[in-house]
Amino acid sequence: MLRDCHVHLGGDAVAREALLSALDAAGVEGCLLLSLPPASFAGSGARPAADRLANLEQWCVGEPRLAPLFWIDPLEPDAGRQVEAALRSGVRGFKVIANRFFPGDARAMPVYRAIAAADRPILFHSGILWDGRDSSRYCRPAEFESLLEVSGLRFALAHASWPWCDECLAVFGKFEQARRHRPGAPRMFIDLTPGTPPIYREELLRRAYTIGYDIAGSLLWGSDSFVPGYDPDGVRRWVERDRKILDSLDVPKEAQEKLFGGNLERFLAGR
Ligand SMILES: [Zn+2]
């Protein structure tokens, strides 16, 4: 099984059949589809939240291979109502990029709590943020410790926080330790979507799988693709590269299958 946890919508036009064909060509069974970005990221060209949600729904409705994630800016004054509307429309989770606020910003926490209460996960960007602004400091993994306060939350840090991958793994260890001592402590996943340039890939995978944490059930695989433009050949190359590295590290097939597919359902459904 191969599922892609990180696919962005990059254009307005809904072209579902083209995407499904591209997924077939890549050997990808299904993917998480991230909505168009909010104004804080897209600038003046951004569409209103209701339009972005409607667009996401058009892409995903009735198609179980496409799981909708709504990109929310938790600082928008009506973010709470946006969460409610997204839940009514059936989104499987939410996407957040903290590009001008720390993840634990007091204005954002109630939004995370509402998402946790609805038993939906959040996929956060983490690591260097290529937005041309002074913003990466907000996306360092240790800043996400603030989420320890959000009971019941499931969340993932995308890109394994490259280049702060060690810090990302250490924060993962901290959340796991919290879960052992406190029922309801948040559950952290790591989305291994590149991020990591190829020269760092072996190092990242080796550290993740040999650090000694119970991590194999908490790693997600994604491509950071954009739609339109999902590139089956590019996706296949990443999968082949990763499988080769995982084999060379003697990562058991069972753990590999979790990474390439099984863990995504745990992220979405919490089981
Ligand atoms: Zn992305």
Side-chain angles (χ1 to χ4, degrees), residues 6 8 95 159 224:
H6 202 126
H8 288 271
K95 159 85 174 169
H159 313 292
D224 207 11

Side-chain angles (χ1 to χ4, degrees), residues 77-98:
D78 65 343
R81 284 196 298 281
Q82 290 180 33
V83 169
E84 288 167 16
L87 291 170
R88 279 196 302 275
S89 94
V91 301
R92 303 290 307 275
F94 292 83
K95 159 85 174 169
V96 172
I97 297 187

Side-chain angles (χ1 to χ4, degrees), residues 91-121:
V91 301
R92 303 290 307 275
F94 292 83
K95 159 85 174 169
V96 172
I97 297 187
N99 61 347
R100 65 193 193 293
F101 58 95
F102 287 102
D105 190 292
R107 296 165 291 179
M109 295 295 262
V111 178
Y112 306 150
R113 288 199 177 92
I115 293 170
D119 197 26
R120 296 295 194 285

